[in-house]
Each structure stands twice: as C-alpha cells, then as structure tokens.
Amino acid sequence: MAEAFRAALAAAARETQDVLRERLAAHDLPVAQAMEHAVTGGKGLRGFLVLEGARLHDVAREAARLPAAGIEALHAYSLVHDDLPAMDDDDLRRGQPTVHVAWDEATAILAGDALQSLAFELCADPLVGSHRADLCLALARAGGIAGMVGGQARDIMAETSETPLDLARITELQQGKTGALIRWSAEAGAVMAGADAGPLGRYAQALGLAFQIADDILDVEGDAAKMGKAARKDAAAGKATFVSLLGLDAAKARAAELVEAACDALSPYGAAAGTLRETARFVIARES
Amino acid sequence: MAEAFRAALAAAARETQDVLRERLAAHDLPVAQAMEHAVTGGKGLRGFLVLEGARLHDVAREAARLPAAGIEALHAYSLVHDDLPAMDDDDLRRGQPTVHVAWDEATAILAGDALQSLAFELCADPLVGSHRADLCLALARAGGIAGMVGGQARDIMAETSETPLDLARITELQQGKTGALIRWSAEAGAVMAGADAGPLGRYAQALGLAFQIADDILDVEGDAAKMGKAARKDAAAGKATFVSLLGLDAAKARAAELVEAACDALSPYGAAAGTLRETARFVIARES
C-alpha cells in the first residue's frame, strides 16, 4: 500500500514536471534552464494534493494538472529565493547545487521571479475552467504578505529577536510559511469545481501543521544524504522549533494526532479519499 | 495643457498608491513597510495607462483602479529586485534609498516577491469583473520569461557578451524588458471590457519603444538629481543603447516618429484619446 502510494506520488511529480518542462522548452535562455533545474527532483507533494482534490471533485486531469504544475512552480520559486546568500544561504537542495551556486545570484533571483509568474500563468489558463480567477486570487493570497512571504518574514524576524517564539507564535508562523500553500493545494480541486472547500481546508490545516512538525523532527533525526539538504540547521542556529518547545516525543505524538485529525476531516468523501489519508500518513513517515 | 496632463498623471499616481497603501496597512511587518516604500514616489505611468484605457472602454473607475495599482506593484517589484547588489546594485531610486539599502537584502527579496503576488491579487479581484482571469493570464505572460524577466535576462547576457547588440536585438530586448508591461497596461481596459485591444496594443508597442529610446537619451543628457537615480550608467558600462547605435540626433528623431505612430494608432478613439496622445508626447519630453 505504501509502495503503491509512493509510486502514485512519483508519477504525479513526473506529470507536473513534464508540464513545466514543456512550458520552458520554448525559451533558450540560461534563466529558463535554471527554472527547469529548480522544478526538478522535488517530491511534488503540493501538486499531488491538487490532483487528488481535483479527482474527488471530478475535475478533468488535463485541467487539474495545470494548477498542480503551477503550485510546484510557486513552491520552487520560494525555495530558490530562500536558498540565496542573503536568505538561508544554502548550497544544496534536493541533492543538487542550488540555483545561485549552479548559475549565479542574478539568475537565481530572475528564475524565482519568473517561476512565480509561471505559477499564475498556469492557474489562469482557460483550460482550468470557469473558476480560474478564484484560483489565481487564492494563490496570490496564499503566496503573498498574508501567507507564505509573511511567514518567511516572521521567520527571519524570529531569528534576530531577543524573545524566543512560543507555541502559539510558531504555529502562526507555520500557517503562513508552509501552511498557506498546502491549504491552497488541497482546496484547489474544490475551488475548480465551485464546490465547498471546507473539508479539504480542514484536512490541509491539520496536514500543514503535521508537515512542519515532521520537518522539525527531520532536522533533528534526519539523514542529510537522504534529505538532499543540510540537517540540524535549526539546532545549530538556536532556533525555536516544535521539537525544541515540545520535546521530541511530544512533537511526534502531536504530529500523529494531527494526522488523525486530517484523516477525520475527509469523512464526507468516504473511501474515495483513501489516497489523501495515505498522504497525511506519508507526511510524518517520510525521510526527506 | 501639459500642466493639466501632469496634474492628471500625479492624481492617478496618488490614487493607485492609495489602493496599495490600503492593502498593506493591515500588515505590521517590516517587509510591508518596505513594499510601501517601493510603491511610493513613482510617476505611475503604467497605472495611468490602465486608467485611461479603461476610461475609453467605459470601465468603472472602482474596477480599473485595482489593475492600475496591480501593475504599479508589479513594476515596483521589478525595480526592487533590479536594484539588488547581485543585479544592478543601485543605492538610489526615485530620489530615495533603495529597499536593500534602507532595510536589507532579505527584506528586498521578500518585498519584491510579495509585490508580485499583490499584483495578481489586485487583478484577480472579483470587482475587476468577468475578464479578470484574462487580465491575470496576460499579466503572467507580460511579467514572466516570455516578457519582462526574459528581457532582463537578455540584458544581463548582453553585458557579458563579446558581440555587441545590433538594433534588431536591442529592440527585441526592449520589447521584453519594458515593452511587455507597458503594452499590458495600455491593453488592460480593452481586456476588462472584452473589447478589441488591437489599437491600444499598437499604440503601446510604439510608445514602449519611444519610452526606451527616451530612457537611453536621458541616461546621456539627463540630470541625476531630477531623475532620482544615477545617470550615464550605460555609457560607463560600455553598453549598446539606441543612442550609441543611432547617435543622439537620429535617436531623438526616431523617438519622435514613434510618438506620432503611437498617436495615429489611437485614431479609432478620436478625440477621446487626447490624454493618451499627451502621454506619448510626455514620454519623450520627460526629465526623469
């Protein structure tokens, strides 16, 4: 079962990467190659959530794969900019040199910028259907100052702040930094169908928090080789995380509780949501 | 007449800045203040083009001011990232310290990123009307690898290339770097109304090229104090420009021809397009 799930996740990642590669193939510029590098090799979790949510709402795969590729482009842009020397200054991502290392900083800035544009281009495509504007609006909010960028800004502020973060503030930070895009991804299929996104939204909220706690656990327990990026960065930076605040065992217990809550939120979909339940379990079981 | 035009341009700039300030006021973060700094003090030419094109197509001002503010946010993001040390490394913009000087590089990267998101948030607003998705799609293309970012990338490549640019290549570069957003701005009103954007598109194509030639002339003849940014940067960098390729007099003659062509393209609108004709004349007469 877990094997079948991993295969489905990998197949979806290939599918969204193919959409992105096809869009970039027309452009014979180093920045286009840098964009392709940036969207290659990820788990494709966000795109997978879009595809699964769309399946539950009978949205055609040809339509759903565009926002699925779009959210992967948006996520990739955030990583490219996050890895820049002025930000996290990371040399390694998904086991490969980061964009500013493989090319240069100017190319990394521009590649990130164009990946964000590409995300909106894919979501606004007429093939996405009559709710494409709502999808764009939700993506702009999830990615902007009230969502992901706001979370990143709070994260940077926390690093230089005298007062360490408490659990409430770290949860708020997570809801922006990683939660907003995960929620958009899970809700996208319902939005495309013009249906109630409530159950998928509640699923995503629990999933996003579980995902961040699992990330903090990985930072402590993870294997840098398997993760394809540096480990123990947070502890080295003396950063408050769910693990440093709760302790390792309580953090694991909290993540498991959240996965159960995520699965419960899917009850209106019955057995059809089995893959999304597996996704939630995968999120805390993953090694990278 | 020129005085009335300048007053109308300044009033439109205040209007779009007010929209942006209102959107940012809810966010008590340094990055939000940096975003506000970045959208303050510009001429607001792109937003003005949106408002004027919308007026010609009887689009309500409350609807038109959102994409007008959106394109100013997108333009501001491109300037913030363009000014970064890894790009043009400029300390001064619109007579004020650039964002990475007044704050820091990380804040400038994030502020630019969130300004791009904000641009799409404004264009996708339900108040924009039933063509808001088309507006988002056109903006994503104009801002992305096939438009502005592609032009910026070509510009960077040209700086390090052995072969100097010829007139055809420099025109192609301009059509991406500054032309795409100007064209989107001029066409936006027609797009919002679901009308033929052909005449406004032809106007914008001539206008955009005239604008770039005027920029190259300003770089040679301009007063850094009036421009609020450094002058003679291109000559110092040994960069091929319309002035270096055509000579100063022929460049001025070409810009004047283009302004006439821009005005001619507006003939279907008759006298109603008087302000857009003045805009075209302003573009080559401006001192900053």
Side-chain angles (χ1 to χ4, degrees):
Chain A
M1 192 67 164
E3 205 51 50
F5 166 75
R6 276 166 203 272
L9 181 62
R14 278 195 300 277
E15 186 176 349
T16 53
Q17 281 175 34
D18 283 349
V19 172
L20 295 167
R21 284 212 188 93
E22 203 188 305
R23 293 271 172 157
L24 292 169
H27 302 284
D28 184 26
L29 285 167
V31 69
Q33 293 155 15
M35 290 166 77
E36 190 172 323
H37 176 86
V39 298
T40 302
K43 285 184 292 295
L45 183 67
R46 291 159 190 78
F48 187 68
L49 289 173
V50 174
L51 293 174
E52 283 301 310
R55 195 179 53 74
L56 290 177
H57 287 276
D58 297 319
V59 172
R61 188 82 170 194
E62 306 87 76
R65 68 161 61 104
L66 298 178
I71 193 68
E72 288 298 324
L74 197 95
H75 177 55
Y77 118 67
S78 78
L79 299 180
V80 172
H81 282 186
D82 219 34
D83 287 338
L84 283 167
M87 305 274 290
D88 280 357
D89 195 14
D90 275 309
D91 295 342
L92 206 62
R93 168 71 68 183
R94 297 168 175 172
Q96 298 292 322
T98 47
V99 172
H100 67 273
V101 169
W103 283 267
D104 51 53
E105 277 188 59
T107 304
I109 293 165
L110 289 175
D113 289 344
L115 281 167
Q116 182 173 185
S117 308
L118 181 56
F120 286 99
E121 187 178 333
L122 287 159
C123 289
D125 194 291
L127 207 61
V128 172
S130 54
H131 295 281
R132 60 195 169 113
D134 293 326
L135 215 54
C136 288
L137 180 58
L139 186 63
R141 287 177 178 158
I145 181 90
M148 184 182 70
V149 170
Q152 288 173 315
R154 279 174 220 279
D155 199 21
I156 290 174
M157 282 167 70
E159 278 171 27
T160 53
S161 165
E162 298 285 302
T163 359
L165 291 174
D166 58 19
L167 215 53
R169 299 292 298 279
I170 214 169
T171 304
E172 185 196 5
L173 196 155
Q174 176 281 325
Q175 275 164 354
K177 200 181 168 196
T178 55
L181 290 199
I182 287 178
R183 185 166 181 167
W184 182 92
S185 306
E187 292 180 344
V191 172
M192 287 176 82
D196 175 21
L200 287 170
R202 283 185 288 278
Y203 163 77
Q205 220 164 350
L207 180 75
L209 194 50
F211 186 88
Q212 186 59 53
I213 297 175
D215 245 20
D216 291 350
I217 293 169
L218 268 176
D219 189 71
V220 175
E221 290 196 326
D223 178 334
K226 279 184 186 160
M227 293 198 289
K229 63 180 180 183
R232 291 173 222 13
K233 284 198 64 167
D234 294 338
K239 213 164 142 179
T241 69
F242 287 103
V243 173
S244 75
L245 287 171
L246 292 169
L248 193 54
D249 289 344
K252 284 181 181 176
R254 180 83 188 108
E257 270 170 36
L258 285 162
V259 166
E260 286 320 300
C263 292
D264 288 349
L266 296 170
S267 57
Y269 296 104
T275 314
L276 284 181
R277 290 190 187 90
E278 281 207 68
T279 309
R281 288 182 199 111
F282 162 76
V283 148
I284 59 165
R286 71 204 155 96
E287 293 181 319
S288 71
Chain B
M1 191 66 163
E3 206 51 49
F5 165 75
R6 276 167 202 272
L9 182 61
R14 277 194 301 276
E15 187 176 348
T16 52
Q17 280 174 33
D18 283 349
V19 172
L20 294 168
R21 283 210 190 95
E22 202 187 308
R23 293 270 172 159
L24 293 169
H27 302 284
D28 184 27
L29 284 168
V31 69
Q33 293 154 15
M35 290 166 77
E36 190 172 324
H37 177 87
V39 299
T40 303
K43 286 184 292 295
L45 183 67
R46 291 160 190 78
F48 187 67
L49 289 173
V50 173
L51 293 173
E52 283 301 310
R55 195 178 53 74
L56 290 176
H57 287 278
D58 297 319
V59 172
R61 189 82 169 195
E62 305 87 76
R65 68 161 62 104
L66 298 179
I71 193 67
E72 289 297 326
L74 197 95
H75 177 55
Y77 118 66
S78 78
L79 299 180
V80 171
H81 282 186
D82 219 34
D83 288 337
L84 283 166
M87 305 274 290
D88 281 359
D89 195 13
D90 276 308
D91 295 342
L92 206 61
R93 170 71 67 182
R94 298 169 174 172
Q96 297 292 324
T98 47
V99 172
H100 68 273
V101 169
W103 282 267
D104 52 53
E105 277 188 59
T107 304
I109 293 165
L110 289 175
D113 289 344
L115 281 167
Q116 182 173 184
S117 308
L118 181 56
F120 286 99
E121 187 178 334
L122 287 160
C123 290
D125 195 291
L127 208 61
V128 172
S130 56
H131 295 279
R132 59 194 170 114
D134 293 327
L135 215 54
C136 287
L137 181 58
L139 186 63
R141 287 176 178 159
I145 181 92
M148 183 181 72
V149 170
Q152 288 173 314
R154 279 176 219 280
D155 199 22
I156 290 174
M157 284 168 69
E159 277 171 29
T160 53
S161 164
E162 298 284 300
T163 0
L165 291 174
D166 59 19
L167 215 53
R169 298 291 298 279
I170 214 168
T171 304
E172 184 195 6
L173 195 155
Q174 176 281 326
Q175 275 165 355
K177 201 182 168 196
T178 56
L181 290 200
I182 288 178
R183 186 165 180 169
W184 182 92
S185 306
E187 292 180 343
V191 172
M192 286 176 84
D196 176 20
L200 286 171
R202 284 185 287 279
Y203 163 78
Q205 220 164 349
L207 180 76
L209 194 49
F211 186 88
Q212 185 59 53
I213 297 175
D215 245 19
D216 291 351
I217 294 169
L218 269 176
D219 189 71
V220 175
E221 290 195 327
D223 178 333
K226 281 185 186 163
M227 293 198 289
K229 63 180 180 184
R232 288 171 243 335
K233 283 198 63 167
D234 294 338
K239 212 164 142 178
T241 69
F242 286 104
V243 173
S244 75
L245 288 171
L246 292 169
L248 194 55
D249 289 345
K252 285 180 179 175
R254 181 82 187 107
E257 271 170 35
L258 285 162
V259 166
E260 286 319 300
C263 292
D264 288 350
L266 296 170
S267 57
Y269 296 105
T275 313
L276 284 181
R277 290 189 187 90
E278 281 208 67
T279 309
R281 288 181 200 112
F282 162 76
V283 149
I284 59 165
R286 72 204 154 96
E287 294 181 319
S288 72

